[in-house]
Amino acid sequence: MADKHPNNNLKRSIGFGSAISIVIGTIIGSGLFFKQASVLDSAGSSTMAIIAWIFGGLITLTGGLTIAEIGAQMPYTGGLYVYIENLYGRICGFMSGWMQIIVYGPAIIASVAGFMSILMANFFGLGPNWSIPLAIVTVIAIGLLNFLENKVGAVFSVITTIVKMIPIAAIVICGIFWGHQDALGQTISQVNQSTGGFGVAVLATLFAYDGWILIANLGGEMKNPQKLLPKAIILGISSVLVIYTLVTIGIFRFLPVGLIHRLGENTTAYLATKVFGIIGGKLLSAGIIISMMGTLNGKMLTFPRIVYAMARRGDLPFSKYLSYVTPKGKSPVVATLFIIVLAAIMMMFFEPDHLSDLCVFTVYCFYLLAFFGIFILRKKNKTRPFSTPLYPLVPIVAILGGLFVLISELINDPAGVLLFIGIVIVGLPIFYVVKRMDRKRLK
């Protein structure tokens, strides 16, 4: 018999330190280091770019505060998949899970790995043809790490989160105290006209902030998740908002915006070498690569849990195999392999920048449903482990932010949006086929 809340075979071993490290470590990755130029190009000036980073952080924080209340009432493995099902029913829940394991999860892993491989190729002096092989090998290696019990992946998240603070601190301190540019007021308005404006700039920052909800997928593996989950989400997002703003100011203090525009994705690598010399730049680049590995680890730790949760329910083809966990470590190894294969396929067919925008659009379709869910739960439950502050203002801002994301991406990339929506919709007939086969088997 399939479990409604499939936590039975997983250990509750994740404490507060590991939880907040997973939140921060999963969020801070490629976006912070690779989206600076694209945010600037769209915003048109350093001032508006900084505001875009703050605005994106506030949208994310309102979403986090909203989900914190919902998650505290549903502390089960599966996160958004479980929330949507409990709020809107079985089919909507399935579509949410399907979206995460077929589109969003593999796409965001492929995007982060793709960005990271650019730095790795530069670090080892390799040509651009090595980017995809490096990305695939890294994803496989981190996936194998997560074959071990969840404590190992959580410890890796703590270590990489600590390591990633080194390049961040270096950029902030050197930029703010030794930079000679004005962080505010530098303009490149001629670029702004062709790259979408302030709305697209905020959209680019949301990729850099995304990943905060993934800790909810580990709700069934946390100690005291009703209290721990809201704290980890809120403190994690708030910390990242401050860090992103300071890093952006540091970069604008050190480099003129015209140069940032010309450097594009190579801005951070150039800054590292310019500030610390060739050897120091290499060390800083190594720190950024480790930072991205931590981000990948957080995603490889969480997305297979969604596959596992759905397979335990019998929602997927080959559920018997996808729900397998190792006898000792209780790790969903087949589900992890499944995510690795899909991510590798996406790396070979899509550019990381394109994937980053599309995966944000896709997940926000379901974030919106979850945000609306807080109003449903408030009517049902008068007592809650955690209550969103400034209700209903905060959920309303989260909903408006979600609508802004969907409309912006639909205007800027209708073809990509239709492709990803189509892949999500394919899940519906698959759901009915799997359920029909289950009924036949029971007869």
Side-chain angles (χ1 to χ4, degrees):
M1 192 78 173
D3 297 330
K4 185 174 181 182
H5 302 305
N7 303 309
N8 313 42
N9 291 353
L10 301 174
K11 292 182 179 179
R12 289 193 181 273
S13 58
I14 297 175
F16 178 71
S18 296
I20 197 166
S21 294
I22 290 169
V23 174
I24 295 173
T26 305
I27 297 175
I28 299 178
S30 58
L32 172 61
F33 304 112
F34 281 89
K35 287 289 186 178
Q36 293 291 340
S38 60
V39 172
L40 173 65
D41 287 351
S42 295
S45 73
S46 58
T47 303
M48 294 307 294
I50 292 169
I51 293 172
W53 282 100
I54 295 172
F55 195 67
L58 292 175
I59 290 175
T60 304
L61 184 57
T62 58
L65 287 165
T66 305
I67 292 296
E69 178 173 322
I70 296 169
Q73 296 174 71
M74 306 178 198
Y76 311 116
T77 295
L80 188 64
Y81 163 56
V82 173
Y83 306 160
I84 296 294
E85 179 177 329
N86 285 349
L87 289 165
Y88 300 106
R90 192 85 164 85
I91 293 175
C92 285
F94 170 82
M95 294 301 287
S96 167
W98 176 262
M99 172 274 301
Q100 291 183 79
I101 66 172
I102 298 295
V103 176
Y104 173 63
I108 203 165
I109 288 169
S111 181
V112 173
F115 282 130
M116 184 187 65
S117 68
I118 295 170
L119 266 184
M120 292 177 73
N122 289 336
F123 185 85
F124 293 111
L126 302 173
N129 292 336
W130 282 89
S131 292
I132 291 176
L134 282 170
I136 292 174
V137 168
T138 304
V139 168
I140 291 172
I142 292 174
L144 291 175
L145 176 70
N146 282 283
F147 279 13
L148 307 173
E149 63 178 293
N150 57 21
K151 258 193 294 193
V152 177
V155 168
F156 186 73
S157 287
V158 173
I159 294 169
T160 53
T161 300
I162 293 169
V163 170
K164 75 174 54 183
M165 292 305 161
I166 297 171
I168 287 169
I171 291 171
V172 171
I173 292 169
C174 292
I176 291 176
F177 292 104
W178 284 283
H180 301 292
Q181 306 295 324
D182 290 325
L184 303 176
Q186 299 184 65
T187 60
I188 45 169
S189 55
Q190 73 277 8
V191 179
N192 168 262
Q193 299 303 316
S194 61
T195 53
F198 183 75
V200 177
V202 174
L203 191 65
T205 70
L206 290 173
F207 167 72
Y209 281 107
D210 198 44
W212 56 271
I213 201 172
L214 297 186
I215 188 64
N217 296 334
L218 301 171
E221 299 169 72
M222 287 184 191
K223 304 168 183 174
N224 195 4
Q226 287 88 349
K227 291 184 178 179
L228 186 59
L229 185 61
K231 283 183 182 178
I233 289 176
I234 295 164
L235 291 176
I237 294 173
S238 300
S239 301
V240 171
L241 170 56
V242 173
I243 290 167
Y244 279 12
T245 304
L246 290 174
V247 168
T248 303
I249 292 171
I251 290 173
F252 290 158
R253 283 277 294 156
F254 213 91
L255 298 176
V257 294
L259 180 57
I260 295 172
H261 164 63
R262 289 195 298 274
L263 290 169
E265 293 175 348
N266 294 312
T267 296
T268 306
Y270 174 87
L271 177 63
T273 305
K274 183 79 174 173
V275 176
F276 300 101
I278 295 175
I279 296 175
K282 287 279 188 184
L283 291 173
L284 198 63
S285 293
I288 295 171
I289 290 168
I290 293 170
S291 160
M292 293 184 186
M293 285 184 178
T295 303
L296 278 176
N297 177 66
K299 297 181 191 312
M300 290 302 304
L301 183 67
T302 52
F303 282 116
R305 267 66 183 177
I306 307 173
V307 179
Y308 165 83
M310 295 181 74
R312 287 280 297 180
R313 301 286 303 279
D315 284 352
L316 300 173
F318 311 108
S319 286
K320 177 183 175 182
Y321 304 102
L322 290 170
S323 63
Y324 174 79
V325 294
T326 53
K328 185 179 179 182
K330 304 299 182 186
S331 297
V333 293
V334 180
T336 301
L337 284 172
F338 176 75
I339 293 293
I340 289 171
V341 170
L342 288 181
I345 292 170
M346 288 194 176
M347 286 178 216
M348 291 186 281
F349 290 99
F350 293 94
E351 292 293 323
D353 204 45
H354 192 206
L355 279 175
S356 68
D357 290 340
L358 289 174
C359 68
V360 169
F361 169 86
T362 311
V363 77
Y364 260 89
C365 293
F366 290 88
Y367 280 174
L368 264 178
L369 287 176
F371 297 158
F372 275 111
I374 194 173
F375 300 107
I376 298 171
L377 288 178
R378 284 272 177 147
K379 289 182 179 180
K380 289 182 179 178
N381 304 326
K382 300 301 179 185
T383 58
R384 297 168 291 277
F386 172 82
S387 295
T388 299
L390 300 177
Y391 176 90
L393 179 61
V394 167
I396 289 171
V397 173
I399 290 166
L400 292 175
L403 288 171
F404 162 77
V405 170
L406 301 189
I407 294 168
S408 297
E409 186 61 22
L410 188 59
I411 291 170
N412 284 281
D413 186 15
V417 164
L418 288 174
L419 172 64
F420 270 44
I421 288 176
I423 296 171
V424 173
I425 291 174
V426 165
L428 203 54
I430 289 176
F431 175 79
Y432 285 113
V433 168
V434 170
K435 291 305 156 189
R436 184 179 297 172
M437 290 173 64
D438 283 348
R439 285 195 295 271
K440 285 182 179 179
R441 194 162 48 247
L442 290 172
K443 288 179 182 178

Coordinates of all heavy atoms in Angstrom, one line a residue, residues 37-46 48-49 52 186-202 261 412:
A37 N 26.3 40.7 -14.8 CA 26.3 41.4 -16.0 C 24.9 41.5 -16.7 O 24.5 42.5 -17.1 CB 27.3 40.8 -17.0
S38 N 24.2 40.4 -16.7 CA 22.8 40.4 -17.3 C 21.9 41.2 -16.5 O 21.0 41.9 -17.1 CB 22.3 38.9 -17.4 OG 22.2 38.3 -16.2
V39 N 22.0 41.2 -15.2 CA 21.1 42.1 -14.4 C 21.4 43.6 -14.7 O 20.5 44.4 -14.9 CB 21.3 41.8 -12.9 CG1 20.5 42.8 -12.0 CG2 20.8 40.4 -12.5
L40 N 22.7 43.9 -14.7 CA 23.1 45.2 -15.0 C 22.7 45.7 -16.4 O 22.1 46.8 -16.6 CB 24.6 45.3 -14.9 CG 25.3 46.7 -15.4 CD1 24.8 47.8 -14.5 CD2 26.8 46.6 -15.4
D41 N 22.8 44.8 -17.4 CA 22.5 45.1 -18.8 C 21.0 45.5 -18.9 O 20.6 46.4 -19.6 CB 22.8 44.0 -19.7 CG 24.3 43.9 -20.0 OD1 25.0 44.8 -19.6 OD2 24.7 42.8 -20.6
S42 N 20.1 44.7 -18.2 CA 18.7 44.9 -18.3 C 18.3 46.1 -17.4 O 17.4 46.9 -17.9 CB 17.9 43.7 -17.8 OG 18.2 42.6 -18.7
A43 N 18.9 46.3 -16.3 CA 18.5 47.4 -15.4 C 19.0 48.7 -16.0 O 18.3 49.8 -15.8 CB 19.1 47.2 -14.0
G44 N 20.1 48.8 -16.7 CA 20.6 50.0 -17.3 C 21.5 50.9 -16.5 O 22.1 51.8 -17.0
S45 N 21.6 50.6 -15.2 CA 22.5 51.4 -14.4 C 22.8 50.6 -13.1 O 22.1 49.7 -12.7 CB 21.8 52.7 -13.9 OG 20.8 52.5 -13.0
S46 N 23.9 51.0 -12.5 CA 24.3 50.3 -11.3 C 23.3 50.5 -10.2 O 23.0 49.5 -9.4 CB 25.7 50.8 -10.8 OG 25.7 52.2 -10.6
M48 N 20.0 50.9 -10.4 CA 18.8 50.1 -10.7 C 19.1 48.6 -10.6 O 18.3 47.8 -10.2 CB 18.2 50.4 -12.0 CG 17.6 51.8 -12.2 SD 16.4 52.2 -10.9 CE 15.1 51.0 -11.3
A49 N 20.4 48.2 -10.9 CA 20.8 46.8 -10.7 C 20.8 46.4 -9.2 O 20.3 45.3 -8.9 CB 22.2 46.6 -11.3
A52 N 17.3 46.0 -8.2 CA 16.8 44.8 -8.7 C 17.1 43.6 -7.8 O 16.3 42.7 -7.6 CB 17.3 44.6 -10.2
Q186 N 26.2 54.7 -12.1 CA 26.9 54.4 -13.3 C 25.8 53.9 -14.3 O 25.0 53.0 -13.9 CB 27.9 53.3 -13.2 CG 29.1 53.7 -12.2 CD 30.1 52.6 -12.2 OE1 30.8 52.3 -13.2 NE2 30.3 52.0 -11.0
T187 N 25.8 54.4 -15.5 CA 24.7 54.0 -16.4 C 25.2 53.4 -17.7 O 26.3 53.7 -18.2 CB 23.9 55.3 -16.8 OG1 24.7 56.2 -17.4 CG2 23.2 55.9 -15.6
I188 N 24.4 52.5 -18.3 CA 24.6 52.0 -19.6 C 23.3 51.9 -20.3 O 22.8 50.8 -20.7 CB 25.3 50.6 -19.6 CG1 24.7 49.7 -18.6 CG2 26.8 50.7 -19.4 CD1 25.2 48.2 -18.7
S189 N 22.6 53.0 -20.4 CA 21.2 53.0 -20.8 C 21.0 52.5 -22.2 O 19.9 52.0 -22.6 CB 20.6 54.4 -20.7 OG 21.4 55.3 -21.4
Q190 N 22.0 52.6 -23.1 CA 21.9 52.0 -24.4 C 21.7 50.5 -24.4 O 21.1 50.0 -25.3 CB 23.1 52.4 -25.3 CG 24.4 51.7 -25.0 CD 25.1 52.3 -23.8 OE1 24.6 53.2 -23.1 NE2 26.3 51.8 -23.6
V191 N 22.2 49.8 -23.4 CA 22.0 48.4 -23.4 C 20.6 48.1 -22.9 O 20.0 47.2 -23.3 CB 23.1 47.8 -22.4 CG1 22.9 46.3 -22.3 CG2 24.5 48.1 -22.9
N192 N 20.2 48.9 -21.9 CA 18.9 48.7 -21.3 C 17.7 48.6 -22.3 O 16.8 47.8 -22.2 CB 18.6 49.8 -20.3 CG 17.1 49.9 -19.8 OD1 16.4 50.6 -20.3 ND2 16.8 49.1 -18.8
Q193 N 17.8 49.3 -23.4 CA 16.8 49.4 -24.4 C 16.6 48.1 -25.1 O 15.5 47.7 -25.6 CB 17.1 50.5 -25.4 CG 17.2 51.9 -24.8 CD 15.9 52.3 -24.1 OE1 14.8 52.1 -24.6 NE2 16.1 52.9 -22.9
S194 N 17.6 47.2 -25.2 CA 17.6 46.0 -26.0 C 17.5 44.7 -25.2 O 17.4 43.7 -25.7 CB 18.8 45.9 -26.9 OG 20.0 45.9 -26.2
T195 N 17.6 44.9 -23.8 CA 17.6 43.6 -23.0 C 16.5 43.5 -22.1 O 16.5 42.7 -21.2 CB 18.9 43.6 -22.3 OG1 19.1 44.8 -21.5 CG2 20.1 43.4 -23.2
G196 N 15.4 44.3 -22.1 CA 14.2 44.0 -21.4 C 13.8 44.9 -20.3 O 12.7 44.9 -19.8
G197 N 14.7 45.8 -19.8 CA 14.4 46.7 -18.7 C 14.4 46.1 -17.3 O 14.9 45.0 -17.1
F198 N 13.9 46.8 -16.3 CA 14.0 46.5 -14.9 C 13.3 45.2 -14.6 O 13.8 44.4 -13.8 CB 13.4 47.6 -14.1 CG 13.5 47.4 -12.6 CD1 14.7 47.6 -11.9 CD2 12.4 47.0 -11.9 CE1 14.8 47.4 -10.6 CE2 12.5 46.8 -10.5 CZ 13.7 47.0 -9.8
G199 N 12.2 44.9 -15.3 CA 11.5 43.6 -15.0 C 12.3 42.4 -15.3 O 12.4 41.5 -14.5
V200 N 13.0 42.4 -16.4 CA 13.9 41.3 -16.8 C 15.1 41.2 -15.8 O 15.6 40.1 -15.5 CB 14.3 41.4 -18.2 CG1 15.3 40.3 -18.6 CG2 13.1 41.4 -19.2
A201 N 15.5 42.4 -15.4 CA 16.6 42.4 -14.4 C 16.2 41.6 -13.1 O 17.0 40.8 -12.6 CB 17.1 43.8 -14.1
V202 N 15.0 41.9 -12.6 CA 14.6 41.3 -11.4 C 14.4 39.8 -11.7 O 14.7 38.9 -10.8 CB 13.2 41.9 -10.9 CG1 12.6 41.1 -9.8 CG2 13.4 43.3 -10.5
H261 N 29.8 45.0 -18.5 CA 28.9 44.6 -19.7 C 29.7 43.8 -20.7 O 29.3 42.8 -21.3 CB 28.4 45.9 -20.3 CG 27.8 45.7 -21.7 ND1 26.8 44.9 -22.0 CD2 28.3 46.3 -22.9 CE1 26.6 44.9 -23.3 NE2 27.5 45.7 -23.8
N412 N 9.1 37.6 -22.8 CA 10.5 37.6 -23.3 C 10.9 36.3 -24.0 O 11.7 36.3 -24.9 CB 11.4 37.8 -22.2 CG 11.5 39.3 -21.8 OD1 12.1 40.1 -22.5 ND2 10.8 39.6 -20.7

